[in-house]
Amino acid sequence: SRYLAAMIYEANNKWDDAYIAYSETYKLAPDWPRLKSDLVRSSYYSRRLDDHMSWKKKFPEIDFTPTTP
């Protein structure tokens, strides 16, 4: 349910709420592959740049290019 909430927040451009929900989902299901790109993207758009850099370092295989959300 956290993941669904994150998707809804993201669809409404509530990036900080989306990032928090994605992070909570990661704590429960760290092996879920989709979360990697969700965490990188949402941390950037929520302006949590320290977290963003940490996720990019943890998941170097994720190619993220910012666009206008």
Side-chain angles (χ1 to χ4, degrees):
S1 68
R2 290 283 178 204
Y3 189 78
L4 178 59
M7 291 174 60
I8 292 169
Y9 289 136
E10 185 174 343
N12 289 297
N13 290 325
K14 294 183 178 182
W15 288 103
D16 198 54
D17 293 331
Y19 174 69
I20 291 167
Y22 284 133
S23 296
E24 291 173 355
T25 302
Y26 183 77
K27 291 175 188 174
L28 299 171
D31 295 328
W32 195 356
R34 175 77 184 152
L35 276 175
K36 294 176 182 181
S37 60
D38 294 332
L39 287 164
V40 171
R41 182 182 60 257
S42 64
S43 63
Y44 178 84
Y45 288 123
S46 65
R47 297 187 174 132
R48 293 177 179 247
L49 300 182
D50 288 340
D51 289 351
H52 177 70
M53 294 308 294
S54 294
W55 291 121
K56 283 191 60 100
K57 189 175 186 178
K58 186 169 185 147
F59 308 127
E61 70 277 14
I62 301 301
D63 183 29
F64 173 74
T65 304
T67 60
T68 304

